[in-house]
Amino acid sequence: MTNRILFRTIATLALAVPTTLSVFGAQDGHLLKVTSINIARQGEEGDRLRVDLTIDPREVNPGRDREVVFTPQIISANGADTVSLKAIRVAGRNRYYSHIRNKDLTEGVRLYEAGSKELIEYHTDTAFLPLMEQCKIEMDEQIGHCCDPILPAGETPLAEIDYTVPPFIPEFRYVDLTGDEAVERTAEGSAYIDFIVNRTEIRPTYRRNTVELAKIISSIDLVKNDPDAVITRVTIKGYASPEGPYSNNVRLAMGRTQALKEYVREHYNFDPAIMSTDYEPEDWDGLRRRMQDLEIPYKSEIIGIIDSKMEPDPKNAEIQRRYPREYKFLLDSIYPALRHSDYTVNYRIRTFVDVEELKRVFATDPGKLRPVDFQRIAATYPVGSAEYDETYLKASEIYPTDPEAAVNAANIYMRHGDIAKATERLRYASDSAEAIYSRATLAAINGDLNRARDLFDHSAAAGFAPAADESKRVDSILKRTKVKYLITPESAR
């Protein structure tokens, strides 16, 4: 045996090998036998790569003064990065005991005597790095001599590994919008009508009453002049401020609210049945809300009195007694705003029949349309067209919590790559089979194929047949071969 003897090892690495493999790589009569190999991604997040080998060194014979160093290496697909795993040394007798005596091996290197009956149980794991998503594995081989430096003896390509998830885009599935309840809308506001002290009749030209009464009239006119709207109810609620006796404030609030109701009726000749009134003798809630925005002394103490269970008259008197300067400020600047009348006009939008009319309303006031109206419009456009998308997105904007509209909007956002908006929309989707399908689609686009498959299976079990086909497509990707062998025992002989 001469110094030019080279040792060549061929080993095959696999993700899982259920049976023992014998892999031969021989030169000048040397033999290395790998009896079992397992490489697996581990950890809850798949963040470790585990390598287990069982090697039979009994017929490895490098010579009494030589050794063979085997180092499994993980090499990135572009060859730019390499991760070397723990090395194995199989040494001839003299070389073996030299290492034992001199204790000259670096930490982690395992030493075995050539020809030994002891099987080499090689186990190691390493952090799963991005380069390992797509890489190749080689066995680096080197030969050493007691008096010479270790020399390379070559590398044997063993396998290519591909853990990358190929892009997978399921077919987008849209659902029909079915909501057909009449559109109910509301116009509301507040008017600050000035009354003569202790009087309840309205004087339209008194102080700012012309402007304040015009607010109410304008709101009603806006609805009344809309040919698509029918007023169903007009509600007026009057409020008084807390100063003065509570019993008198009750009288004023009731009387002033009734006066405003009659004023409105005289202008529109409404059926009394559609008009209703309510009153709040002292607007303590309004006072508390306005106090939150103030920066005055004793603010928290005054709010504490407002929130107390004291009767109204003692409550007002207590604020005035304990904090007279602050009370005067409230009386002059806040209390006038508490004397107001809130009004609400409820109305119903008529049902549109003609599709062209629906498109006209869509262009001018889409809030008048029902979900089913948007569906009728969308059905006139090719699926996926700009007009189709615009119709469904507007439906989801008008009806943000409608589960069917949410599914369609999410599909459109996913198709255009806006994952954040798709995720937000699917929060409002129901647990229907179609909604589950869309959540599976989102999971697939995000690369979480295991979740996607589970959701597709759930959707299919709920009765949505297309989900079963998508589940099979995902399953084929998940079960694909992630290791391509670069050498086989037959070709190595």
Side-chain angles (χ1 to χ4, degrees):
M1 188 174 302
T2 69
N3 287 336
R4 292 180 298 173
I5 294 177
L6 298 179
F7 179 85
R8 174 73 68 182
T9 300
I10 299 172
T12 299
L13 303 182
L15 290 178
V17 182
T19 58
T20 297
L21 297 177
S22 294
V23 182
F24 299 89
Q27 184 171 331
D28 294 333
H30 298 295
L31 174 67
L32 176 69
K33 182 182 292 184
V34 176
T35 61
S36 69
I37 304 175
N38 183 62
I39 297 179
R41 197 169 175 177
Q42 294 183 341
E44 291 184 5
E45 303 296 330
D47 56 353
R48 305 294 296 177
L49 185 68
R50 176 81 178 181
V51 179
D52 297 301
L53 304 173
T54 302
I55 299 172
D56 186 348
R58 284 177 291 185
E59 297 182 57
V60 176
N61 187 16
R64 295 171 63 87
D65 297 319
R66 294 177 180 275
E67 64 183 357
V68 184
V69 181
F70 304 102
T71 308
Q73 293 187 332
I74 303 171
I75 306 170
S76 63
N78 61 9
D81 299 292
T82 299
V83 175
S84 295
L85 304 181
K86 292 190 301 184
I88 303 170
R89 289 177 182 253
V90 180
R93 181 176 180 80
N94 292 345
R95 187 70 169 154
Y96 176 82
Y97 284 104
S98 173
H99 282 309
I100 297 296
R101 289 192 304 272
N102 296 325
K103 299 180 180 180
D104 56 3
L105 295 178
T106 58
E107 184 178 356
V109 174
R110 301 186 64 181
L111 177 66
Y112 297 88
E113 184 178 359
S116 170
K117 294 182 180 180
E118 178 188 4
L119 294 178
I120 300 173
E121 297 291 346
Y122 178 90
H123 307 289
T124 189
D125 72 340
T126 186
F128 192 91
L129 303 176
L131 69 91
M132 298 174 189
E133 292 282 351
Q134 199 169 19
C135 63
K136 61 181 178 179
I137 300 179
E138 294 181 348
M139 181 69 81
D140 179 72
E141 303 151 6
Q142 297 177 318
I143 293 179
H145 186 269
C146 64
C147 302
D148 298 321
I150 292 179
L151 299 175
E155 303 85 22
T156 300
L158 303 174
E160 291 179 348
I161 293 179
D162 187 359
Y163 281 106
T164 59
V165 179
F168 175 75
I169 307 296
E171 184 176 350
F172 296 104
R173 301 282 180 172
Y174 299 91
V175 298
D176 289 345
L177 307 182
T178 59
D180 60 358
E181 292 186 4
V183 176
E184 301 281 353
R185 300 174 77 174
T186 299
E188 57 189 5
S190 295
Y192 297 88
I193 310 299
D194 282 320
F195 293 87
I196 296 175
V197 176
N198 272 331
R199 302 291 293 271
T200 60
E201 67 272 15
I202 293 177
R203 296 193 178 187
T205 60
Y206 183 65
R207 293 184 178 178
R208 288 183 49 83
N209 284 354
T210 301
V211 174
E212 296 302 315
L213 289 169
K215 291 182 182 179
I216 303 176
I217 300 304
S218 176
S219 296
I220 297 175
D221 281 348
L222 189 64
V223 177
K224 194 170 181 61
N225 295 332
D226 185 343
D228 299 328
V230 177
I231 295 176
T232 57
R233 179 160 292 278
V234 177
T235 303
I236 298 173
K237 184 174 182 178
Y239 295 82
S241 54
E243 83 277 16
Y246 183 81
S247 58
N248 190 52
N249 287 336
V250 171
R251 178 185 68 83
L252 292 176
M254 289 178 62
R256 290 171 177 178
T257 301
Q258 185 64 27
L260 185 56
K261 173 185 175 182
E262 293 304 319
Y263 178 88
V264 171
R265 281 195 61 211
E266 289 174 4
H267 275 71
Y268 295 102
N269 195 30
F270 283 137
D271 182 345
I274 72 167
M275 296 198 69
S276 63
T277 60
D278 195 5
Y279 66 94
E280 189 77 31
E282 296 183 358
D283 191 6
W284 288 101
D285 288 339
L287 175 59
R288 191 187 197 288
R289 285 194 302 272
R290 292 173 183 273
M291 285 286 296
Q292 297 294 338
D293 298 327
L294 294 178
E295 290 299 332
I296 63 172
Y298 307 108
K299 173 180 174 178
S300 60
E301 289 82 356
I302 295 173
I303 290 178
I305 296 173
I306 292 173
D307 291 341
S308 71
K309 296 182 179 180
M310 297 172 64
E311 293 297 321
D313 287 346
K315 184 183 296 188
N316 185 68
E318 183 72 3
I319 298 174
Q320 184 177 16
R321 182 185 66 80
R322 293 177 59 181
Y323 311 106
R325 293 180 60 185
E326 289 71 27
Y327 179 81
K328 187 177 186 312
F329 171 79
L330 296 176
L331 190 65
D332 294 340
S333 61
I334 302 299
Y335 275 35
L338 303 179
R339 306 162 198 148
H340 60 96
S341 297
D342 291 350
Y343 55 89
T344 303
V345 181
N346 299 101
Y347 58 101
R348 179 181 298 115
I349 301 300
R350 70 182 178 89
T351 300
F352 304 100
V353 178
D354 182 71
V355 173
E356 292 306 315
E357 187 178 33
L358 287 173
K359 291 185 177 181
R360 173 188 65 78
V361 177
F362 178 85
T364 57
D365 194 353
K368 291 181 176 180
L369 300 179
R370 303 167 298 168
V372 71
D373 296 329
F374 287 100
Q375 178 60 42
R376 291 180 62 195
I377 296 172
T380 67
Y381 301 121
V383 175
S385 65
E387 297 83 359
Y388 183 89
D389 290 355
E390 180 187 11
T391 303
Y392 274 150
L393 289 179
K394 182 59 71 172
S396 186
E397 177 186 327
I398 300 298
Y399 297 99
T401 61
D402 182 279
E404 295 168 339
V407 167
N408 290 343
N411 285 336
I412 293 170
Y413 286 131
M414 282 189 281
R415 181 156 50 81
H416 289 288
D418 196 333
I419 302 305
K421 287 185 178 179
T423 302
E424 188 275 335
R425 285 288 78 209
L426 283 176
R427 289 174 50 210
Y428 297 95
S430 64
D431 290 327
S432 67
E434 293 83 358
I436 297 170
Y437 179 98
S438 291
R439 292 190 179 98
T441 300
L442 179 62
I445 292 174
N446 284 332
D448 191 349
L449 294 189
N450 286 296
R451 174 171 168 75
R453 180 180 57 186
D454 291 343
L455 289 172
F456 280 132
D457 287 343
H458 189 182
S459 176
F464 194 53
D469 294 332
E470 297 296 348
S471 178
K472 291 178 182 177
R473 291 177 60 198
V474 174
D475 200 53
S476 66
I477 294 175
L478 290 173
K479 292 181 178 179
R480 76 193 189 285
T481 300
K482 299 179 179 64
V483 175
K484 177 183 177 182
Y485 298 110
L486 302 179
I487 192 167
T488 62
E490 290 76 17
S491 64
R493 293 179 186 276

